[in-house]
Structures are given as C-alpha cells and as structure tokens.
Amino acid sequence: MFSLFIFMSILRQLYARYMSFLFPTKTRLLKCDPASITFSPTADTPLIADPTTSDALHSAARLLRHQKTVVFPTETVYGLGAHALDTAAASNIFSTKGRPPDNPLIVHVSSLVMLHTLLPPDYAPSLAYRILIKHFWPGALTLLFPRNPDIVPAIITANQPSVAIRMPSHPVARALIAVANVPLAAPSANTSGRPSPTRAEHVLRDLDGKVELILDGGPSGLGLESTVVDGLWEDGNIRVLRPGGVTVEQMEAVIRKEMHGSDHIPSILVHRRDFRDDAIEETPTTPGMKYRHYSPSVPVTLLCTCSKPPINVTPVSSHAFFSTLNSANPSVPIKVGVMAPEDSDLWSHVPTDQHIQWRPYRLGKKADPSTTARLLFDGLLTLDMEGVDMILIEEIAEEREGLAVMNRVRKAAGDSKWIIYNG
Ligand code: TXA
Ligand code: MG
C-alpha cells in the first residue's frame, strides 16, 4: 500500500516538473512587518496594525486555502507551507522541493486549541510535554504526538504512527496560520538536500518560478531549525531526534525545576550521542540520517580543532593542510570560503603566499554559539553564491546551540580533517 503511495508521489512529482517547465510560475515577494502583529495572551486571533502586512497575509491565506504553497518566515528558518489536512495541497510541497515521499513533515499550529483538533480524542499529553509546551511554545520546539488518522493525512507523516507538531513564535508565521485558520505543513523552504534558507533572498534564489508567493519577514532570528523531540516512549524519557533552536540544556533546566521532588524525572537523550535505535536509523524520521542534507553546491570540509581524532587518524599541521588545497595545480588560482568564529586561532594560520583567494565568513565569538547558529546557513549560502570552489568550516564545541550547529555541519561536510595549529 505504502509503495503504491510512493509510486503515485513520484508520478505526481514528474507531472509537476513537466507542468512547471511548460507554464513557469511567476513568484511574488511581499514584505511583512513582524512588529505590526500582536497576539494577546487570551485571544488566538492576531491584531495586524500595518495594512500592507495584513493584505499580504490575507493573499497568502487565500492561496493556502486553494491548495497552493506559500513560503513564510519563521524564527528558525523559512518554511514552505501548505494546508496540512489536504493531501493534494501537501503533495505540492514534495514536488516543489523534490522531497522524498518517505520524509515526514512538521505541522505548524497557531494555538493550543488548534493543536487539540489534530490529536486523538482520548490522548492526554504527559507532564513533561505540558512543561515543555508551557516554556517553549510558541517557539523552536517540535513535539511528536500520536497521529489521529481521521484528521491527519498519511502523506504528512509518511505513514508513521506519530505526527510532528510545533507552534512557531514568529509573528508572521503564527498570524498566517491563524488568518488561514488551518494548520500548515511546512518543511524548510529549500530544494531537498540544500542548506535551509534564513532570508527571503535565499528562497528566491533557490525556488524562483516554483512558488507563487514568498512572504518576506526579514532574517530568521535563530537561523537553525527547531529541536525535534519524541516523548512518546513508555519509559517517559525525552528523546531528541534533531537538536535545534531550543537547547538540551534549556529543556533540562525547566524539567528539573518543574519536576523537582518527583520520583521519576525524565532524562533528555540525544540521538547518536546518548542512544541509538535501529528502527530510527532505517527510516528518514531522524532528520538528515537517510538523505543528503544542508549541502551547498561546492565541497565542504570540516576542520576539527577541538575534538579528539578517531584512533586511526593522525592530525596534520595547519601549514601542511593548507598547502594541499591547490597542490594539484598551484599556478591556477582557486577561491576558498572559510567559516570560523571571529576569535578563532584559524585566522592567523591562513597562509597568504599561495594562489588562493580567501573568502572569510566570521561566525560570531567562540563563547556565543547562538550567533554561530544564526549565521551558519547564511554563511554556506553566501559563499556558495560568491562562487567559491570549496568551503572550510571550523568545528565548535558541542554545547548549547553548538550541538545543533555541529549536527548540521557534519551533514554538510563531505570530509573531515584534524588540524594542529603551527607556524
Ligand atoms: O524549524 C523547523 O523545524 C522548520 C520550520 C519551517 O518550521 N522546518 C523543518 O522541516 O525543518 P523539515 O521538513 O526540513 O525537517 C523536519 C524534520 C524531518 O526531517 C523529519 O524527519 C522530522 O522532522 N519529522 C517530521 N515528522 C516526524 C515524525 N512523525 N517522526 C519523526 N520525525 C519526524
Ligand atoms: Mg529541511
């Protein structure tokens, strides 16, 4: 049954490609002012003070109700949205992105009332979920819930028994869902396999002619996708399938504080760091496991400068590493993008005597991984657009937002080198 579903999705994608070749879509970009939107704590309907923003949101909502896709800003990354409860609308997401049909989508809601319309009637969220929702919704936290098959179509969850749901905090995203009055399925608004967009310009460059409307609400504040959490296991522990905008440390702090004195305080376990699961490894539900992810069009090399090398790997000196970059043809100039924290030792070891044009992209200070997170995808996409031949990116410590940063960097990099700084 599911293979028939996959076969139909592939046919639909081929048909959509053929149609968009014959009749290219004209992409409109409409500016929205997030500061003009307010939600009162009691009402789920937004107040939109700026008429241009209000018109843009109503045009987008109309398209969404007619099975079209709309790109909208969120606090994490830009999303490619469609009506989540309409199979034909959701299938447009897969064809626009070239997304494999077995990769499930996150459903975005604007209120807790909307959340409850999606859940099975007899389901009650655990105490841990209630705490996480109280502290991090609206925000960059996606939670898995049991799927109500009468409401949520199989295409959304790729036939999984759970559905991933989040309430975004970006005023434009939340207002769009509220005005359309439907939950929105939305993956990151990029061609599958590419870095996620954090600005409307990134989306336009990638999806121009493939979507009708992009709402431009300025750069995404967090710059990395939401944290995906599975708290449905019988042991009550919280499993992080994808680290993201809400950090493990932030979740641990609120769980510890609110469950102080309780007999069973759930542990927060990070996939691949604290647990592995064969079933998860086999499916694409742990984001980025099965498919290529976050890759610009040029090769990315990870420079490891703080972690221990594996036993069979000998670190090389920075001097030796840099001299290999254009060793094949030293007289032909190459352009190399370098991404590292602004206070990294790397900058003083980049040689100036080779035929290499360096394109530096500074990622904030070492002690401030939230800035690195905000700039990571922008850096990869900006350097790619500048036409570099390769990108080098330095490792950062896997703490706080650094955990999510390194999760993305490892998937973007085709290759890792362990470096020791020397003259
Ligand atoms: O911040 C975000 O999460 C952004 C914005 C637009 O909200 N969205 C996003 O979506 O990153 P996407 O599709 O690029 O990544 C969502 C990931 C998928 O890779 C999928 O594997 C996982 O969430 N996911 C979705 N439903 C799931 C489910 N039922 N079980 C396990 N993982 C699921
Ligand atoms: Mg994505």
Side-chain angles (χ1 to χ4, degrees), residues 74-77 139-141 166 169-170 198 219-227 244-246 250 369-377 401 405:
T74 86
E75 71 281 17
T76 58
V77 299
L141 179 69
R166 91 174 180 100
S169 65
H170 195 295
T198 58
S220 297
L222 294 173
L224 282 186
E225 303 88 342
S226 61
T227 307
V246 171
Q250 287 170 326
S370 68
T371 299
T372 311
R374 183 165 52 77
L375 297 175
L376 176 72
F377 289 141
E401 292 82 357
V405 167

Side-chain angles (χ1 to χ4, degrees), residues 135-150:
H135 286 271
F136 301 115
W137 275 22
L141 179 69
T142 296
L143 298 171
L144 297 198
F145 292 94
R147 167 181 169 232
N148 179 350
D150 295 335

Side-chain angles (χ1 to χ4, degrees), residues 77-78 97 99 103 186-197 225 242 287 293-294 377:
V77 299
Y78 273 68
K97 272 184 72 101
R99 183 177 175 103
N103 198 358
S188 48
N190 52 278
T191 303
S192 264
R194 307 266 299 140
S196 304
E225 303 88 342
R242 174 178 73 180
H293 247 72
Y294 312 120
F377 289 141

Side-chain angles (χ1 to χ4, degrees), residues 364-387:
K365 291 217 170 16
K366 279 197 248 183
D368 177 19
S370 68
T371 299
T372 311
R374 183 165 52 77
L375 297 175
L376 176 72
F377 289 141
D378 185 60
L380 291 170
L381 290 165
T382 303
L383 292 171
D384 201 1
M385 192 192 62
E386 285 182 11

